[in-house]
Amino acid sequence: MLMTQDREQVVSSGLSEGNAFTIAASAKAFEVLSSNLYQNKILAVIREITCNAVDAHTVVDRPISDIQVHLPTYAEPYFSVRDFGPGMSTEEVRNLYTTYFRSTKDQDNTQIGGFGLGSKAPFAVADQFTVTSWHARKKVTFICFKANGLPQIHVVGIEPCGSDDTGLEVKVAAKSAFGSVSVWLNEAKYLFRWWPELPTFNTPVLDDDSTHHPDNVLMESPTWTIYQSLFRSYVIMGNVPYSLDLEAIPGLPEPVKQVLARIFVAVRVPMGSVSISPSRETLSYDATTSQYLVQVL
C-alpha cells in the first residue's frame, strides 16, 4: 500500500555539522515493535497474517476463498493461515522476518501491507511461531523465536515438494494468557464481517452474524452502508475496519457531524486514500486524510 505522507520543506543550509537519528537494535525496541505496538494483540495477529495471505493471492490472481484459516479450538489450540501464493525463498523469508520496516508492498496499492511490521505480529501473543514456505520445489520450515528478547529465525526442516506446491503457512500457539477460544472467534468475527469474500475456516465464524442482514441495512450504495445496529461508524480500507472519530476530523461541517452522530455508517475507501497508524488499528488524522474524509463524508 502506498503510504500517504504530509511533508514539510526544511531549509538546512547554513547549519553546523550534525548527526542523523538512528534506531538501536535492542530487546526493548523489538518488544515495542512486536508486542507493545498493538492494543488488541489477538485481533492484530488475525488481521496481519490473513491480510498478508490476501496479498499473496493477489499476486497470483487466486481467490481469497482458497486461503485456509485455522482458528484455535479446545482440541487444537493454535492459529494458522495457509495461503497458496508464490511462496518465498529461504533468503526472502530470512530477510523479511529479521528486518522490521522492510516491505515489498509500500509502493503498490493492490497490496494491503506496507509497513513491514505485520509479519512479526505473532510475537505479540507468543515467544515463538513457525513459518513454512513452499517454493521452487522445496518445502522449508522455519522457527521464529525470541532469545534474550531478541528475535531470531532458523531453518528446522527442508524437504522436496511438487512444482505446483507453492505458498506460505504461519502457525502460532494460542496461549490461554492471551485469550480463550471464544475471544479468538469473536475477534475473527469482528474482522471478517467486512470481507466481501471469506477464506476457508476450520470452524463456523459468521453463521450467526446479522450485520449485513437486510433487516439491519437501512440504506446503501456501492461504497457506503448505513446500519441499524452498529455501535460506531467505520472506514473500511483493504478489508480492514477503522473506527471513525468524528471529533478528530477538522473541517467536517457541523450539519454532517450532527447527522453522522445519529446514524452508523461503514464507508469503503480505495487503498492508500487515508493514512493509518503503524499498528493498523486506527486512522491517522493528518491533513491529507482529514481533507479526504471531509469530502467523502
Side-chain angles (χ1 to χ4, degrees), residues 1-2 54-56 58-59 104-105 108-114 271:
M1 176 180 63
L2 283 167
V54 171
D55 286 341
T58 299
V59 171
T104 60
K105 308 173 185 178
D108 187 352
N109 263 345
T110 67
Q111 304 276 281
I112 301 173
M271 288 293 300

Side-chain angles (χ1 to χ4, degrees), residues 5-295:
Q5 295 178 328
D6 294 333
R7 287 193 172 90
E8 179 181 353
Q9 186 175 3
V10 177
V11 179
S12 58
S13 60
L15 296 179
S16 60
E17 183 179 348
N19 285 17
F21 281 69
T22 63
I23 298 176
S26 65
K28 177 173 62 177
F30 288 120
E31 184 69 12
V32 168
L33 294 174
S34 300
S35 180
N36 297 345
L37 180 67
Y38 304 109
Q39 292 185 6
N40 189 328
K41 301 180 191 304
I42 289 176
L43 177 59
V45 175
I46 298 172
R47 178 185 62 244
E48 299 303 321
I49 305 306
T50 55
C51 284
N52 283 345
V54 171
D55 286 341
H57 277 223
T58 299
V59 171
V60 297
D61 194 26
R62 187 157 180 167
I64 292 174
S65 56
D66 286 347
I67 296 170
Q68 298 174 357
V69 176
H70 183 283
L71 293 169
T73 64
Y74 292 107
E76 297 176 313
Y78 67 87
F79 171 75
S80 69
V81 178
R82 166 73 158 102
D83 71 59
F84 297 89
M88 295 183 183
S89 67
T90 298
E91 181 180 1
E92 288 172 329
V93 172
R94 288 183 185 275
N95 288 338
L96 176 68
Y97 282 90
T98 59
T99 310
Y100 283 71
F101 298 109
R102 172 172 287 169
S103 176
T104 60
K105 308 173 185 178
D106 54 3
Q107 297 299 316
D108 187 352
N109 263 345
T110 67
Q111 304 276 281
I112 301 173
F115 285 108
L117 297 172
S119 59
K120 296 83 173 175
F123 278 133
V125 299
D127 287 334
Q128 68 178 43
F129 61 97
T130 61
V131 178
T132 303
S133 178
W134 291 261
H135 180 79
R137 294 180 177 270
K138 287 195 299 184
K139 175 186 175 183
V140 184
T141 301
F142 306 81
I143 184 169
C144 303
F145 64 96
K146 292 180 182 178
N148 298 320
L150 298 174
Q152 296 189 25
I153 184 169
H154 291 273
V155 174
V156 293
I158 302 176
E159 59 184 272
C161 66
S163 59
D164 293 334
D165 294 330
T166 62
L168 206 72
E169 181 186 60
V170 178
K171 184 175 181 179
V172 56
K175 295 183 178 180
S176 58
F178 286 96
S180 64
V181 166
S182 62
V183 173
W184 282 84
L185 181 60
N186 287 336
E187 298 300 346
K189 183 178 298 185
Y190 169 82
L191 174 67
F192 291 114
R193 66 163 54 114
W194 303 109
W195 286 37
E197 181 184 2
L198 293 176
T200 298
F201 298 104
N202 64 306
T203 186
V205 173
L206 295 178
D207 287 5
D208 60 347
D209 185 77
S210 60
T211 301
H212 304 291
H213 191 278
D215 291 342
N216 191 42
V217 175
L218 298 179
M219 190 179 297
E220 62 182 336
S221 82
T223 57
W224 53 261
T225 306
I226 298 174
Y227 296 94
Q228 181 169 291
S229 64
L230 279 183
F231 297 104
R232 57 177 62 96
S233 291
Y234 293 95
V235 169
I236 314 294
M237 184 173 71
N239 294 342
V240 178
Y242 300 95
S243 181
L244 189 59
D245 183 359
L246 299 178
E247 297 301 324
I249 308 174
L252 187 64
E254 192 61 31
V256 176
K257 188 182 298 185
Q258 291 177 4
V259 170
L260 292 175
R262 299 169 67 92
I263 63 173
F264 302 108
V265 60
V267 183
R268 292 190 178 273
V269 300
M271 288 293 300
S273 58
V274 295
S275 299
I276 57 177
S277 66
S279 66
R280 210 192 298 273
E281 292 179 324
T282 60
L283 293 174
S284 179
Y285 294 93
D286 56 30
T288 301
T289 295
S290 296
Q291 290 170 9
Y292 178 81
L293 290 175
V294 167
Q295 179 184 2

